[in-house]
């Protein structure tokens, strides 16, 4: 079994030893990164490998998976005008969160905690519940009041215990983090645990392979807590450092105009969140995160890539959701945010890929 790498705090350098159940930096209580710098294999070496994200074994901090459900290798389809969509809603639990959840469950299986705990607005919770079921690990998922009934049904179906917090997403995260400090608890946080990012980065490794060893001019991702964007940042760095791509694509982050703290900070030229920003209800509930813990990393990744931020209105979300449905793609409202942002030419003539992150059956199509 491959030894586990240590974790470290990206802000103050504090190290956390491999195998620890510590879920955050002991000094600043911030999220952790992984002391892991892999070298990806060239495309020619991937022929004949397992048809899941585990085909990129050299780039993953865990090897020989026992809890895989065949996640990854989702289709890439053209939408027109140089834009393609990656159908990441075609995953075992119908969202891209499976990419990170399988890494967390595999890690928990090796650490053998008495309890796995997660917090989520829905998709991450269903993914963690499913992979914990696969691993026969006891799991509790904290969710805010108002979470989609279909997502709650899915979490329960996998045998996880639901803890519904009668407040918003932020309060739910605080409650989960308090419980995560108890002895013997593995906090399967898709925000704080860096293994999750090393799962989501396989999204870009797949793009690179499917496009014949290259990447589009622009990678567009929805951003709430930023787990897909930061995973993409990791993958692009790995491929570029290995000499497998000649240039780095620009990363464009999409937020709902109703809850856009990162886009606001970007506009202000700030390196971190610029105070409290106005917030309103949004159809894109999965990215409605007012205070993402990795804000500084997200802003830095976008800046270093030469990208930017885009925001979308509720009407744009509804229209884009209907447009995709008319093309045969039934995607939940959060999952259409990127298409809503770029479908009318926001990127000019540059090639781009957008993710369709969650299936429409999870929350339904918005009325409009």
């Amino acid at each position: 079994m491959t030894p586990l790498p240590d974790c470290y705090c990206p802000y103050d350098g504090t190290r956390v030893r491999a195998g620890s159940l510590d879920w955050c930096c002991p000094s600043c209580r911030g999220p952790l990164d992984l002391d892991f710098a892999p070298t990806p294999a060239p495309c020619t070496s991937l022929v004949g490998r397992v048809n899941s994200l585990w085909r990129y074994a050299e780039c993953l901090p865990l090897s020989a998976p026992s809890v895989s459900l065949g996640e990854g290798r989702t289709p890439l389809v053209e939408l027109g005008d140089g834009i393609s969509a990656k159908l990441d809603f075609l995953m075992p639990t119908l969202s891209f969160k499976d990419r990170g959840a399988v890494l967390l469950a595999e890690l928990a299986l090796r650490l053998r905690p008495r309890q796995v705990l997660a917090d989520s607005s829905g998709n991450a919770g269903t993914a963690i519940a499913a992979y914990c079921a696969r691993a026969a690990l006891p799991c509790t998922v904290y969710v805010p009041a108002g979470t989609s009934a279909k997502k709650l049904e899915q979490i329960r179906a996998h045998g996880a215990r639901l803890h519904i917090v009668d407040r918003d997403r932020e309060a739910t995260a605080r409650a989960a983090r308090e419980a995560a400090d108890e002895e013997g608890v593995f906090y399967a946080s898709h925000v704080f645990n860096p293994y999750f990012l090393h799962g989501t980065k396989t999204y870009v490794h797949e793009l690179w392979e499917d496009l014949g060893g290259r990447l589009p001019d622009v990678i567009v991702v929805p951003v709430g807590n930023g787990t897909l964007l930061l995973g993409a940042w990791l993958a692009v760095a790995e491929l570029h450092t290995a000499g497998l791509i000649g240039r780095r694509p620009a990363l464009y982050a999409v937020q709902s105009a109703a809850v856009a703290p990162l886009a606001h900070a970007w506009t202000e030229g700030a390196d971190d969140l610029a105070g409290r920003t106005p917030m309103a209800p949004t159809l894109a509930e999965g990215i409605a995160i007012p205070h993402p813990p990795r804000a500084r990393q997200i802003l830095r990744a976008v800046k270093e890539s030469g990208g930017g931020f885009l925001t979308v209105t509720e009407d744009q979300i509804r229209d884009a959701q209907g447009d995709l449905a008319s093309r045969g793609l039934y995607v939940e409202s959060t999952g259409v945010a990127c298409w809503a942002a770029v479908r009318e030419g926001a990127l000019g003539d540059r090639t781009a890929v957008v993710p369709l992150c969650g299936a429409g059956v999870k929350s339904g199509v918005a009325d409009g």
Side-chain angles (χ1 to χ4, degrees):
M1 186 176 292
T2 304
L4 298 175
D6 288 344
C7 294
Y8 68 93
C9 175
Y11 304 128
D12 64 23
T14 300
R15 298 187 71 83
V16 175
R17 64 176 177 81
S20 171
L21 289 176
D22 289 345
W23 58 269
C24 65
C25 172
S27 300
C28 71
R29 302 285 287 181
L32 297 170
D33 281 351
L34 210 56
D35 190 3
F36 180 64
T39 300
C43 278
T44 53
S45 298
L46 301 175
V47 177
R49 293 193 181 187
V50 61
N51 194 37
S52 73
L53 62 80
W54 293 94
R55 69 195 281 108
Y56 310 108
E58 294 88 348
C59 295
L60 297 174
L62 296 167
S63 60
S66 58
V67 301
S68 176
L69 292 167
E71 57 287 330
R73 300 296 291 148
T74 53
L76 185 66
V77 300
E78 292 186 11
L79 294 178
D81 296 325
I83 301 175
S84 297
K86 190 157 175 59
L87 311 191
D88 252 28
F89 64 89
L90 297 179
M91 289 277 196
T93 76
L94 307 181
S95 94
F96 87 95
K97 296 289 176 62
D98 289 5
R99 293 186 183 276
V102 66
L103 269 292
L104 293 187
E106 189 70 38
L107 177 61
L109 193 62
R110 299 183 187 202
L111 299 181
R112 287 292 177 185
R114 66 173 177 83
Q115 179 72 27
V116 175
L117 184 149
D119 63 279
S120 169
S121 59
N123 283 339
T126 59
I128 297 296
Y131 284 94
C132 280
R134 179 75 165 171
L137 291 166
C139 178
T140 298
V141 181
Y142 282 59
V143 296
T147 299
S148 163
K150 295 178 182 180
K151 293 175 183 177
L152 298 181
E153 179 184 354
Q154 190 177 5
I155 293 170
R156 288 193 181 99
H158 291 307
R161 175 177 171 264
L162 267 172
H163 186 112
I164 299 175
V165 178
D166 192 24
R167 293 185 64 190
D168 60 13
R169 180 68 181 87
E170 219 172 346
T172 301
R174 286 196 299 270
R177 290 165 196 166
E178 288 178 9
D181 284 330
E182 296 177 11
E183 186 176 355
V185 173
F186 175 81
Y187 185 26
S189 171
H190 59 291
V191 182
F192 280 78
N193 194 306
Y195 280 82
F196 197 91
L197 305 182
H198 284 270
T200 62
K201 76 181 181 185
T202 59
Y203 171 88
V204 166
H205 283 286
E206 289 178 20
L207 284 183
W208 166 76
E209 183 183 1
D210 289 342
L211 293 173
R214 62 181 179 84
L215 289 172
D217 298 328
V218 177
I219 295 174
V220 188
V221 290
V223 171
N225 278 308
T227 55
L228 185 53
L229 183 137
L230 292 174
W233 190 34
L234 283 172
V236 167
E238 290 170 3
L239 292 167
H240 189 264
T241 300
L244 295 173
I245 55 173
R247 55 161 185 80
R248 300 185 185 218
L251 299 178
Y252 272 75
V254 177
Q255 294 206 289
S256 163
V259 186
L262 291 159
H264 178 72
W266 178 264
T267 300
E268 296 293 316
D271 294 328
D272 203 348
L273 295 184
R276 300 193 69 88
T277 56
M279 287 175 287
T282 178
L283 294 167
E285 60 182 6
I287 54 173
I289 308 296
H291 298 100
R294 293 187 184 268
R296 279 183 281 176
Q297 288 180 295
I298 296 166
L299 291 162
R300 177 187 167 199
V302 172
K303 182 177 181 179
E304 288 187 354
S305 77
F309 278 80
L310 302 169
T311 59
V312 290
T313 66
E314 302 304 291
D315 285 343
Q316 285 178 305
I317 293 171
R318 289 190 186 91
D319 290 347
Q321 194 173 35
D323 177 66
L324 286 173
S326 73
R327 297 166 182 249
L329 299 169
Y330 187 35
V331 184
E332 68 174 339
S333 51
T334 298
V336 307
C338 291
W339 179 235
V342 305
R343 61 190 286 247
E344 295 181 358
L347 300 176
D349 60 359
R350 289 178 291 178
T351 60
V353 173
V354 299
L356 305 183
C357 297
V361 294
K362 283 175 167 280
S363 58
V365 172
D367 294 333

